Amino acid sequence: MGAPTKGAIRLATASPATQATTQETLSQLEQLASRAAAAQADLLLLPEAYLGGYPRGSDFGCRVGARTAEGRDEFLRYFQAAVDLGDTVGPGCAGAGDAWVKRQLPGAHDSGEHAVEVATAIRDAHPKVTTKQRGDGTREELERIARETGVFIVVGLVEKAGGSLYCAVVYVSPDHGMIGKRRKVQPTGTERLIWAQGSPATLKAVTTTIRGVRINLAAAICWENYMPLLRQSLYQQNINLYLAPTADGRDAWLALMRTIALEGRCFVVSSNMCVRGGSGSSEQQQQQQQHQRVGAAAATRGRELSHRVASPPHAHTTRRRNSCLTDEGFEIALPRAASAGAAITSGSSSPPRARKERRRSIFDADGNEIVLPCDEKASAGADVVMEVDEGVDVSAVDDAQKQKQQEVGGGGIATTATGKLPNTVADSFVSRGGSSIVSPFGDVIAGPQWEDDQGIIYADVDFEDCIRGRLDLDAAGSYSRNDSFKFSVEGLDLDPLPY
């Protein structure tokens, strides 16, 4: 790949999966940054919770009014896998802000020989930077990678501070180290069980200069992007680069990214993990695979199944009635009395023929119904992929899996304990990725990157397109009617950053 054209900035994103340990993930991150540098990329975005891991499918043994000892042990392991950046909880869970960024917090400690080497390298490269280390060294390692590769890195991580975990994003400059960090304001659904709410004060945008171009950037994490007022808080700060690390791998996500690009007249970069299933995945990935694996359509189907549990004797049941097909191919539901094997005529003068049972079918992750082979063994033993995206209620799915072979009369989902759909692409992925780059006019200029956990996608962009787009739409200025609508965010300075 050649060098970017004059005035262009090369943006990059990828869909890597969290590795078994933090150190392995950092090593993978360094490899990605080195490859991006070799391709002369200027900025690289990586997914939500990339460091620490997104616990897809884990319930941590919690139900309303009940906890399990095993679930608490699982949370302990997850907490230990989170990174310690040396920040405080801070007022409203905002952290220490500029004091953390500028390394002004007391209580630094020496974590050993590696910490000394890192501190020495930072001091040599940046004499004005204080090299006291707080935390586990992850901050220093990320700063080293950015410095040595020359790539501005934005990465999602799970941060521990005090006794709580925060889903966070850090902005790592090759010249100045970490210039900002923000914590997810509103964890989605059951994420709230394990991640604390961050302060909206952390929505502060940051600014950097790359190739002589001033870039104002900020991140909204996953379903924060569905919060209109949160998006407005970023537009209000005059950003021209909007970053969206996520765990949402649905096709619909790209439509949201295009809307944000058009709405904010900014470049949008999104990154989501591509997580492979199978025996080759990490233990954490296998745990993820074991639980949530159903698409929105299949989840709906699973909820239907969850109500078809075995009933006590003489109880009313809701099983699907048997049916048959006419000569013309129409399906006719049979009366319950006729379900036991009666023949049926099609209404023509032709003689009665044997009833044709409706063949069994299943639904794939995209909601398409697939008719199974006639072979009885195949019909009885077919599995279903259960791919669940963030925000989908799958409480019924586990119950549906447990009632294996409860469906009677055809037309339902035949499931087994493995919970997999045979011979489909989705069989190999817990999360399909979907990373992308979108222009201020809503055009997809790179990606979406499906089912690729190794590659990096790039786009050379002209940030003056953001100004060109504001000729007719400026969500924080001429188009906002700020004479009529008043907008403020607690603890956040919304004064726009300069161009």
Side-chain angles (χ1 to χ4, degrees):
M1 180 178 290
T5 58
K6 184 178 180 180
I9 302 299
R10 182 161 292 172
L11 303 177
T13 186
S15 306
T18 301
Q19 300 302 295
T21 67
T22 298
Q23 189 54 53
E24 289 178 35
T25 307
L26 283 168
S27 296
Q28 182 187 56
L29 187 155
E30 183 171 10
Q31 293 172 8
L32 289 166
S34 297
R35 288 167 51 201
Q40 301 188 52
D42 298 300
L43 182 144
L44 173 66
L45 173 68
L46 295 172
E48 175 185 23
Y50 176 55
L51 294 173
Y54 186 84
R56 191 183 305 275
S58 297
D59 58 19
F60 296 92
C62 291
R63 298 183 185 276
V64 175
R67 316 285 184 270
T68 66
E70 293 79 8
R72 293 185 186 279
D73 288 341
E74 183 180 3
F75 179 72
L76 172 63
R77 292 191 295 272
Y78 188 61
F79 191 94
Q80 291 171 336
V83 301
D84 180 359
L85 299 176
D87 202 356
T88 65
V89 174
C93 299
D98 287 343
W100 174 80
V101 170
K102 297 176 181 178
R103 298 177 180 270
Q104 295 173 344
L105 296 178
H109 62 274
D110 182 359
S111 297
E113 183 178 348
H114 174 68
V116 174
E117 292 176 354
V118 170
T120 301
I122 294 174
R123 185 179 63 248
D124 291 345
H126 308 285
K128 296 182 180 180
V129 175
T130 303
T131 55
K132 294 180 180 179
Q133 178 183 320
R134 287 172 53 98
D136 61 10
T138 299
R139 172 179 180 166
E140 289 75 16
E141 187 71 0
L142 288 171
E143 290 175 331
R144 178 192 65 80
I145 294 170
R147 183 176 66 253
E148 292 182 357
T149 61
V151 175
F152 193 110
I153 298 171
V154 182
V155 59
L157 49 81
V158 180
E159 175 196 12
K160 53 190 171 189
S164 295
L165 298 178
Y166 300 88
C167 180
V169 167
V170 291
Y171 311 104
V172 194
S173 164
D175 298 321
H176 306 289
M178 286 198 181
I179 61 173
K181 171 171 63 70
R182 60 146 314 205
R183 292 171 174 171
K184 194 172 186 178
V185 169
Q186 182 63 27
T188 302
T190 49
E191 291 175 357
R192 297 169 202 162
L193 175 70
I194 53 169
W195 293 343
Q197 291 181 325
S199 169
T202 68
L203 289 166
K204 180 180 178 182
V206 299
T207 189
T208 189
T209 301
I210 299 176
R211 299 183 192 272
V213 177
R214 187 183 184 97
I215 301 175
N216 301 330
L217 61 148
I221 307 172
C222 205
W223 276 26
E224 286 184 333
N225 290 279
Y226 284 116
M227 300 171 68
L229 296 183
L230 188 145
R231 299 202 304 264
Q232 183 64 25
S233 73
L234 304 187
Y235 305 152
Q236 202 81 19
Q237 296 176 73
N238 192 33
I239 64 168
N240 52 13
L241 179 57
Y242 187 112
L243 303 163
T246 186
D248 191 330
R250 299 173 303 164
D251 292 341
W253 181 257
L254 185 60
L256 176 62
M257 297 298 98
R258 299 183 70 183
T259 296
I260 291 171
L262 280 166
E263 185 176 67
R265 289 300 199 243
C266 52
F267 286 97
V268 174
V269 185
S270 180
S271 179
N272 180 42
M273 292 189 209
C274 175
V275 182
R276 294 179 180 272
S279 59
S281 59
S282 70
E283 180 181 355
Q284 183 181 20
Q285 292 166 7
Q286 292 179 48
Q287 289 174 352
Q288 293 173 353
Q289 182 186 19
Q290 183 179 358
H291 295 284
Q292 297 182 28
R293 307 193 62 194
V294 83
T300 302
R301 193 69 177 147
R303 284 192 289 273
E304 295 173 4
L305 283 179
S306 69
H307 296 294
R308 300 178 186 176
V309 296
S311 302
H314 310 298
H316 175 70
T317 61
T318 59
R319 291 176 176 174
R320 187 182 186 279
R321 292 165 61 182
N322 285 343
S323 62
C324 66
L325 299 177
T326 67
D327 289 339
E328 290 80 11
F330 300 109
E331 183 178 13
I332 300 177
L334 295 174
R336 297 192 184 279
S339 298
I344 189 147
T345 61
S346 64
S348 66
S349 59
S350 57
R353 62 182 179 85
R355 177 172 60 90
K356 292 173 65 177
E357 293 284 353
R358 185 178 187 275
R359 289 166 62 182
R360 289 183 178 273
S361 62
I362 56 177
F363 288 80
D364 65 14
D366 299 315
N368 302 307
E369 185 174 12
I370 301 175
V371 178
L372 295 174
C374 294
D375 178 65
E376 181 179 355
K377 181 178 180 181
S379 296
D383 308 335
V384 172
V385 172
M386 293 192 168
E387 290 273 5
V388 171
D389 299 297
E390 183 172 4
V392 177
D393 178 11
V394 294
S395 59
V397 174
D398 289 339
D399 293 336
Q401 286 180 302
K402 292 176 183 176
Q403 63 170 63
K404 173 182 173 183
Q405 303 303 328
Q406 288 290 324
E407 185 74 356
V408 176
I413 304 177
T415 61
T416 70
T418 60
K420 295 181 180 179
L421 175 69
N423 302 320
T424 66
V425 175
D427 180 53
S428 301
F429 296 90
V430 176
S431 174
R432 295 178 57 230
S435 301
S436 62
I437 304 175
V438 185
S439 81
F441 300 100
D443 298 320
V444 180
I445 53 179
Q449 184 188 32
W450 297 116
E451 297 165 4
D452 177 5
D453 57 355
Q454 303 294 323
I456 303 174
I457 58 175
Y458 304 87
D460 291 345
V461 305
D462 178 1
F463 273 90
E464 290 186 343
D465 281 346
C466 300
I467 302 301
R468 295 183 179 101
R470 293 180 187 179
L471 168 68
D472 49 6
L473 177 60
D474 179 10
S478 62
Y479 214 83
S480 69
R481 286 303 305 271
N482 54 25
D483 59 325
S484 302
F485 301 98
K486 305 302 179 184
F487 182 66
S488 63
V489 180
E490 191 69 26
L492 182 62
D493 181 3
L494 292 177
D495 285 343
L497 291 168
Y499 294 99

